[in-house]
Amino acid sequence: MTQTSGDVSDLSGRQDDGHRTPAGQPATVAGPEAARRPRWQVWAWWAGTVAVVALAAVGAVSHRHELAGTSHLLTHVSAPKMAVALVFEAASFVALAALQRWLLRGAPARPGPGTMTALAFGANAMAGALPGGSALSVAWVIRRLTRRGIGATLAAAMLVVAGALSALALAFLLTLGALVADPDAPGAGLRTVVLAAAATLAALIAAAVCLTRSSGLRRAMRRAGRYGTTRWRTGKRLGDLLADVLHWAEAIQPGVRGWARPCVLALLNWVCDAAALTASLWALGIAVPWRAILITYGLTQISISLRLTPGSLGVAEASLSTLLVVQGLPADHAIAAALLYRVVSFWAAQPVGWASWLYLTFREPRVVDTDAE
């Protein structure tokens, strides 16, 4: 599953949503114009696609014997078991939508679960099929929510917080996968690398928490922040966005225990998608490498998040099949599993996503902004 909720790096445009900052100025966030990409990035995106296609053609010729075994496995896939994989994949979208809807709990006109799920499918389709799709999907979600009476600031803050929770959930799942992986199995080096990275990240977070308790450091950070926001336009925009995110996070005020629910939803999003991968192996009649499945899945999701090609085509399949081979699966089994998982997680979601996009874009009601009247 392609995750789009946290990609807010392109929130550089400004538009008024009626919310006022303490200084009395309108708090603003990105509009659709902020999703434009430099032309060289678009060309690099397509060049990467052509390179992947060329490498795939070369690989198909050099590994034609493995592909024959892969074709045999795919033609004998169990339809009922594949349906289980599709159910798990749909559940991952529902969990993501539930997370985003929970974060909108302070909104005066919060959309229903069906609308939020359609938004998740539509944003996923845009992110996977278009150059700069992540930025376009962010702008599209914000526009759809603002037309339904949600302030643009709150919509952007929701995407930021949902993305942060999703990233932390994936890191937790990857660390858990490294802990349960067999240290004596093939690919044990991956386990060591992941655990070292997790330990480093935990140490950095702990150090940051300790340092921020210093009043002198906090004053220095505030001075640096004021300097950056006055000297650089982008810094000011990022500072304003961060202030808005903190404002709305404080407005929710669920308490420490209250945040358990969104954290579980963020984790459930990834767990259901990983279950879809497991069900894909099951549908092919391939023995599931249970102790290695989480670390394999987590590392694959990291490669997908790079978005080097449309929908990470070629990159996702190559990384997943390679990791499965490293974990001891035969090459033809690994390739078949990677292809079937991508059918379930990417190709099956595309028509649903674009149908959702069409419906929400052209059939939704337009809400009048009462703050502007």
Side-chain angles (χ1 to χ4, degrees):
M1 176 184 176
T2 305
Q3 302 293 322
T4 62
S5 61
D7 195 337
V8 291
S9 57
D10 299 279
L11 297 179
S12 56
R14 318 295 289 176
Q15 72 180 47
D16 189 3
D17 74 330
H19 169 67
R20 297 284 166 177
T21 64
Q25 298 300 319
T28 54
V29 295
E33 68 277 2
R36 295 172 184 165
R37 293 283 191 180
R39 182 169 296 181
W40 70 268
Q41 290 187 10
V42 177
W43 280 106
W45 194 75
W46 284 111
T49 303
V50 172
V52 168
V53 171
L55 289 174
V58 173
V61 173
S62 60
H63 294 82
R64 53 186 177 275
H65 298 297
E66 289 87 348
L67 290 179
T70 297
S71 177
H72 176 76
L73 286 170
L74 291 174
T75 54
H76 291 81
V77 65
S78 170
K81 294 177 181 178
M82 184 176 174
V84 173
L86 290 170
V87 169
F88 276 123
E89 190 60 34
S92 71
F93 279 96
V94 173
L96 176 62
L99 167 63
Q100 295 177 340
R101 186 170 184 270
W102 186 93
L103 293 171
L104 292 174
R105 56 186 290 170
R110 184 171 59 161
T115 299
M116 294 304 300
T117 302
L119 278 172
F121 271 105
N124 178 74
M126 293 182 69
L130 301 175
S134 295
L136 293 172
S137 66
V138 166
W140 179 76
V141 169
I142 292 175
R143 177 60 65 85
R144 303 281 72 77
L145 290 175
T146 54
R147 290 196 173 193
R148 290 179 174 269
I150 304 296
T153 297
L154 177 56
M158 178 272 290
L159 293 175
V160 171
V161 176
L165 291 176
S166 294
L168 289 174
L170 181 59
F172 172 80
L173 205 63
L174 184 56
T175 303
L176 179 62
L179 289 173
V180 302
D182 187 356
D184 299 322
L190 291 175
R191 177 179 182 272
T192 304
V193 171
V194 171
L195 290 177
T200 303
L201 178 60
L204 290 174
I205 293 175
V209 171
C210 293
L211 289 174
T212 52
R213 291 181 176 273
S214 168
S215 58
L217 179 62
R218 289 197 297 269
R219 287 194 297 270
M221 292 174 64
R222 283 194 292 268
R223 287 196 297 268
R226 286 194 295 268
Y227 180 82
T229 56
T230 55
R231 294 281 180 170
W232 294 291
R233 184 181 179 186
T234 301
K236 184 178 186 303
R237 290 174 174 175
L238 291 176
D240 291 343
L241 178 60
L242 179 59
D244 291 335
V245 170
L246 293 176
H247 168 79
W248 285 109
E250 291 175 356
I252 295 174
Q253 292 182 344
V256 175
R257 182 176 299 179
W259 279 102
R261 182 176 179 181
C263 289
V264 169
L265 290 172
L267 184 61
L268 188 62
N269 170 34
W270 295 111
V271 169
C272 289
D273 193 40
L277 170 59
T278 304
S280 298
L281 290 163
W282 181 45
L284 291 166
I286 299 173
V288 178
W290 291 107
R291 296 188 65 177
I293 195 67
L294 286 181
I295 189 172
T296 299
Y297 171 79
L299 291 174
T300 300
Q301 291 305 315
I302 292 176
S303 70
I304 291 175
S305 67
L306 299 177
R307 303 188 190 282
L308 300 177
T309 60
S312 295
L313 294 177
V315 176
E317 292 81 359
S319 60
L320 178 55
S321 58
T322 300
L323 287 167
L324 289 173
V325 168
V326 169
Q327 299 298 339
L329 264 66
D332 55 344
H333 288 195
I335 296 172
L339 292 176
L340 184 60
Y341 167 69
R342 288 290 283 168
V343 168
V344 170
S345 64
F346 178 75
W347 293 108
Q350 284 293 302
V352 178
W354 285 111
S356 300
W357 183 90
L358 287 172
Y359 178 80
L360 292 176
T361 301
F362 298 108
R363 294 290 301 275
E364 65 178 354
R366 185 181 183 89
V367 175
V368 178
D369 186 358
T370 57
D371 290 327
E373 293 180 345

